[in-house]
């Protein structure tokens, strides 16, 4: 009896071990399949956006991710011209949101954007801001910038910063650019220009009103709205080389949709 029982046990073990190994293989294969599926379903899209969109797009990205848990948004902020150059150089970008139409037009001319995805989504205004501590002596109009008391004027680099480009055009139209050019302190972004004004390093600076309204207003005063002879429109588009075009388009749709427009309005942007 004892011998028969041992034979049965050995036979059972021979059957159990292969079965267990088969089950283990199935579990491992299932785990690999699920992991692979998750990797395919979850994607990170890179959104390169003008520096003036920092606060608004941070909020937009947060809400977009909440509605689309399969997508993570990585934000890259800089001057629109700088971002355009990065894209032209092959930077892995999925969506470009520019503070100027000209930078988007340049990418379009090189076939670097999905034309069908391009949309105008916001508008803005340039203002001149002056430090609070010098309010009584601060310039109140563009012509005041030619005074000897005004020594430094912060303007975004016109080659890479739309706010700087618009400001330079306005100063040229006013006929004073050549006279005040030597006073200009260039900034890489409107954020840097505003910092110069906040710290009192300059006597005046040119920024978008959305930046002026959303930062330390106790440190500066909006002296005037700068007259410009062109509409300040913000376009957005999916980049042709994007590896996640469907998700990138979803982000664009969110920006131009109801909630995206509400968030932009909350940060002072106007409709285009």
């Amino acid at each position: 009896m004892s011998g028969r029982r041992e034979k049965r046990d050995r036979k059972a073990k021979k059957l159990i071990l292969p079965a267990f190994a088969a089950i283990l293989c199935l579990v491992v294969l299932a785990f690999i399949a699920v992991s692979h599926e998750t990797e395919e379903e979850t994607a990170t899209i890179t959104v390169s956006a003008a520096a003036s969109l920092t606060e608004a797009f941070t909020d937009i990205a947060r809400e977009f991710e909440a509605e689309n848990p399969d997508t993570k948004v990585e934000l890259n902020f800089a001057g629109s011209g700088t971002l355009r150059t990065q894209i032209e150089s092959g930077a892995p970008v999925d969506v470009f949101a520019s503070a100027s139409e000209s930078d988007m037009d340049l990418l379009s001319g090189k076939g670097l954007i999905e034309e069908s995805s391009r949309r105008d989504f916001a508008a803005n205004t340039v203002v001149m801001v002056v430090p609070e501590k010098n309010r009584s002596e601060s310039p109140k109009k563009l012509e005041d910038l030619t005074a000897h008391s005004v020594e430094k004027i912060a303007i975004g680099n016109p080659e890479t910063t739309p706010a700087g480009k618009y400001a330079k055009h306005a100063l040229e139209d006013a006929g004073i650019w050549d006279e005040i050019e030597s006073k200009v302190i260039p900034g890489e972004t409107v954020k840097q220009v505003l910092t110069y004004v906040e710290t009192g390093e300059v006597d005046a600076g040119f920024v978008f009103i959305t930046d002026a309204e959303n930062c330390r207003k106790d440190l500066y005063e909006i002296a005037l709205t700068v007259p410009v002879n062109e509409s300040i429109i913000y376009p957005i588009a999916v980049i042709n080389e994007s590896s996640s075009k469907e998700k990138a388009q979803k982000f664009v749709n969110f920006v131009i949709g109801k909630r995206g427009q509400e968030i932009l309005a909350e940060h002072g942007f106007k409709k285009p």
Side-chain angles (χ1 to χ4, degrees):
M1 289 292 289
S2 177
R4 291 178 182 173
R5 186 179 298 111
E6 288 179 359
K7 287 182 179 179
R8 285 199 301 270
D9 291 344
R10 284 197 298 269
K11 187 177 181 180
K13 286 180 180 179
K14 288 181 180 179
L15 292 173
I16 290 172
L17 288 174
F20 177 76
I23 292 172
L24 184 60
C25 287
L26 288 173
V27 170
V28 171
L29 289 172
F31 177 77
I32 292 173
V34 170
S35 299
H36 182 65
E37 184 178 348
T38 301
E39 288 177 0
E40 287 186 342
E41 290 181 354
T42 303
T44 297
I45 59 171
T46 298
V47 176
S48 287
S52 54
L53 292 165
T54 299
E55 292 80 11
F57 264 43
T58 297
D59 289 347
I60 284 175
R62 186 184 302 114
E63 291 202 22
F64 176 80
E65 288 177 339
E67 286 191 15
N68 300 272
D70 62 340
T71 307
K72 177 177 174 54
V73 180
E74 186 174 291
L75 296 169
N76 174 36
F77 296 110
S80 296
T82 299
L83 297 174
R84 169 181 54 78
T85 301
Q86 291 173 358
I87 294 169
E88 290 172 336
S89 300
V93 176
D94 300 289
V95 176
F96 178 42
S98 174
S100 77
E101 294 179 282
S102 60
D103 286 303
M104 189 69 79
D105 290 342
L106 287 169
L107 292 184
S108 174
K110 295 180 178 181
L112 295 176
I113 66 169
E114 285 283 344
E115 292 296 341
S116 62
S117 71
R118 180 173 176 171
R119 294 289 185 277
D120 294 337
F121 69 94
N124 216 334
T125 302
V126 174
V127 295
M128 184 174 79
V129 291
V130 295
E132 175 67 22
K133 64 180 182 180
N134 297 325
R135 177 180 288 194
S136 61
E137 302 174 3
S138 296
K140 299 295 188 294
K141 56 185 185 295
L142 294 181
E143 289 72 18
D144 291 344
L145 297 175
T146 62
H148 292 300
S149 58
V150 178
E151 299 178 349
K152 296 179 180 179
I153 305 165
I155 298 177
N157 183 344
E159 298 299 319
T160 57
T161 310
K165 180 189 71 174
Y166 296 127
K168 181 183 178 182
H169 288 176
L171 292 166
E172 288 174 335
D173 290 342
I176 62 172
W177 173 255
D178 291 340
E179 192 172 349
I180 63 101
E181 186 176 4
S182 61
K183 302 179 181 183
V184 169
I185 305 297
E188 289 304 312
T189 66
V190 286
K191 301 295 184 186
Q192 187 176 45
V193 170
L194 196 56
T195 297
Y196 287 152
V197 177
E198 289 175 338
T199 56
E201 295 181 52
V202 297
D203 300 298
F206 291 85
V207 299
F208 286 124
I209 193 169
T210 49
D211 296 287
E213 292 289 357
N214 285 291
C215 293
R216 294 288 306 278
K217 294 182 69 176
D218 58 316
L219 298 177
Y220 55 83
E221 174 192 16
I222 297 176
L224 62 90
T225 297
V226 178
V228 294
N229 294 324
E230 53 192 310
S231 299
I232 302 176
I233 302 297
Y234 286 58
I236 188 171
V238 174
I239 300 303
N240 254 338
E241 294 302 313
S242 169
S243 59
S244 301
K245 287 186 179 179
E246 184 177 343
K247 294 184 186 328
Q249 184 63 58
K250 279 188 178 181
F251 183 84
V252 171
N253 292 343
F254 186 89
V255 171
I256 64 177
K258 181 180 179 182
R259 184 55 189 148
Q261 290 296 298
E262 288 174 348
I263 294 173
L264 286 161
E266 289 168 4
H267 287 278
F269 288 93
K270 301 174 184 177
K271 290 190 175 183

